[in-house]
Amino acid sequence: MKILAIETSCDETGIALVEAKKVGDSFVFKTHKAMLLSQAALHAEYGGVYPNLAKREHEKNLPILYREFADLACDAVAVTHGPGLEPALWQGVEFAKRVAAERGVPLLPVNHMEGHLISSLVQKEHTNKLEFVSVLQNVQLPVLALLISGGHTEFVVMNEWFNYRVIGQTLDDAVGEAYDKVARMLGLSYPGGPEISKFATRSRERQGESTIKLPRPMLQSGTCDVSFSGLKTAALYSLRGLELSDEQKEDFAAEFEEAVGDVFVQKTRQALESTAAQTFVIGGGVAANTYLRERLQQLISDEFPDVEFRLPELAITGDNAIMIAQCALARALSGKNDAADSTLRAVGNLSIGQKVL
Ligand code: KG4
Ligand code: ZN
């Protein structure tokens, strides 16, 4: 089965054509073509994503990208219909409706966070890497997923395939947003996550130590919820009126990453204990962060050696259409028929599952 997928939930316009087949209990994916146009440089001027600018750019970019796919056949068209910036999502949804109608194939709506989750469980097939082959197999349920992006921060449990419960989430800002805002306070460019990571790495390499200390919010709350607005405000107040040298900025970035790392290690420990998950996976743009990957890897090997830790390939941690295609393919090949019609809507606050305590 071949799916043409479209992603426009934030500031990346993505189209991908991915084929999959089910072999026993495994799904084998082959990416035929994947294209991505990032608007990050444009939004950098505003220090964040500006929704109407994103919408205009998607409108301009979709036909340009689609030209490269126009002659390639597919069995269905998949599209992100939420969550994300609603004006941006609508561009993808309306475009996908037209393409599906023109091709006379079903239209499959995909939840963006489910796309991050499922694609993060998929593993690269090293035997055939020139063909971009990857597989989804041997996943032991329950799965605990930590989804960390610019708009979301949530702990999700999958007890049965494609059935999700949210057991913890941010009460205010997403962690990616905190990275972006703190980066801005330090005068670093958007998107701030990779910049903070670069600065913090330099500090750790020379064993720097920040004189400014930041709080570890909600560490002892007893729930799997997190909060980052207090951390952001603490960063703002502690930097006010100060002129930091580059080394001091690096040390501050490392202190910020350490605070975020401490929070996620404690909350992940709690989530793993309360769910008895057999697989732990992280997904979303912030899952590219080297320091967080290492801290969580350490937690799993020290305290949960029986849990399998899966990490997404770096090429697909940020928003892209391959993850949307993989999610739609895994669902379709599992008999989850989600086909939508021309009334499909973009839903900015679409959730992946019910929140449970
Ligand atoms: O999933 P994503 O591409 O878009 C959303 O769905 O929001 O995530 C974007 C977020 C941004 O906040 C960006 O700063 C952050 O992911 N990010 C990182 C890194 N790379 C991207 N944060 C920390 N470390 C990174 N290496
Ligand atoms: Zn995302």
Side-chain angles (χ1 to χ4, degrees):
M1 179 178 198
K2 274 189 199 158
I3 284 187
L4 179 88
I6 296 174
E7 156 66 38
T8 64
S9 68
C10 192
D11 60 350
E12 314 279 344
T13 317
I15 305 189
L17 183 74
V18 181
E19 182 171 9
K21 57 179 185 231
K22 199 158 186 247
V23 185
D25 286 338
S26 311
F27 300 96
V28 181
F29 300 98
K30 194 192 275 183
T31 301
H32 288 283
K33 197 185 218 15
M35 297 188 75
L36 198 61
L37 274 176
S38 175
Q39 309 167 9
L42 268 179
H43 295 285
E45 273 178 52
Y46 301 89
V49 183
Y50 189 63
N52 281 320
L53 180 59
K55 172 187 160 183
R56 204 186 68 197
E57 288 299 302
H58 289 309
E59 192 174 5
K60 191 179 86 192
N61 292 339
L62 281 167
I64 297 174
L65 291 187
Y66 183 66
R67 244 176 263 147
E68 307 291 323
F69 294 83
D71 297 332
L72 305 175
C74 66
D75 303 298
V77 171
V79 64
T80 305
H81 73 125
L85 302 170
E86 228 164 83
L89 288 164
W90 270 116
Q91 291 301 318
V93 167
E94 291 302 331
F95 194 83
K97 281 181 193 171
R98 285 200 299 278
V99 171
E102 260 170 42
R103 290 173 175 247
V105 298
L107 175 66
L108 307 175
V110 174
N111 178 308
H112 180 84
M113 300 316 289
E114 187 181 8
H116 276 306
L117 196 165
I118 296 295
S119 63
S120 298
L121 289 167
V122 172
Q123 298 169 307
K124 198 166 176 175
E125 183 63 82
H126 293 280
T127 52
N128 208 354
K129 55 189 172 206
L130 287 179
E131 280 197 281
F132 303 105
V133 175
S134 52
V135 289
L136 177 60
Q137 64 185 5
N138 301 333
V139 177
Q140 303 298 322
L141 300 177
V143 172
L144 173 71
L146 171 57
L147 303 179
I148 38 181
S149 70
H152 288 80
T153 304
E154 53 195 7
F155 281 101
V156 177
V157 178
M158 178 169 82
N159 278 311
E160 289 162 45
W161 277 99
F162 313 117
N163 209 329
Y164 309 99
R165 284 183 307 139
V166 177
I167 60 160
Q169 63 194 9
T170 180
L171 302 179
D172 37 62
D173 297 346
V175 61
E177 203 178 330
Y179 265 91
D180 293 338
K181 297 225 166 103
V182 169
R184 203 173 174 191
M185 293 172 204
L186 292 174
L188 310 179
S189 59
Y190 174 84
E195 292 298 305
I196 292 264
S197 171
K198 234 186 284 166
F199 268 60
T201 305
R202 279 185 223 139
S203 168
R204 283 191 291 269
E205 276 168 2
R206 58 173 169 74
Q207 296 179 329
E209 174 87 39
S210 177
T211 47
I212 306 169
K213 298 292 170 199
L214 292 170
R216 273 65 175 155
M218 312 252 312
L219 214 55
Q220 307 300 337
S221 72
T223 68
C224 294
D225 290 332
V226 294
S227 157
F228 291 106
S229 81
L231 180 57
K232 187 184 69 187
T233 313
L236 185 68
Y237 286 153
S238 54
L239 290 173
R240 205 152 55 177
L242 294 182
E243 197 62 56
L244 299 190
S245 68
D246 274 354
E247 282 207 347
Q248 285 170 321
K249 284 184 185 176
E250 290 165 9
D251 294 344
F252 187 84
E255 167 67 10
F256 171 75
E257 283 210 321
E258 214 174 295
V260 172
D262 286 350
V263 169
F264 282 130
V265 164
Q266 170 58 18
K267 297 293 174 173
T268 302
R269 177 184 288 126
Q270 216 162 301
L272 284 170
E273 278 165 1
S274 68
T275 55
Q278 305 224 38
T279 306
F280 175 54
V281 64
I282 60 174
V286 185
N289 188 266
T290 312
Y291 177 74
L292 273 180
R293 285 176 168 237
E294 286 170 6
R295 287 289 304 270
L296 293 168
Q297 181 70 69
Q298 195 70 48
L299 170 76
I300 301 298
S301 44
D302 288 351
E303 298 177 36
F304 301 91
D306 297 335
V307 172
E308 188 193 351
F309 186 27
R310 290 208 184 176
L311 287 152
E313 264 183 73
L314 284 177
I316 58 149
T317 47
D319 291 346
N320 65 87
I322 296 174
M323 70 184 204
I324 302 305
Q326 288 179 340
C327 180
L329 283 161
R331 289 187 73 109
L333 292 173
S334 304
K336 295 262 168 195
N337 191 352
D338 309 308
D341 59 23
S342 61
T343 62
L344 178 67
R345 299 177 61 82
V347 185
N349 63 356
L350 188 70
S351 70
I352 190 170
Q354 202 115 46
K355 169 96 201 263
V356 291
L357 291 176

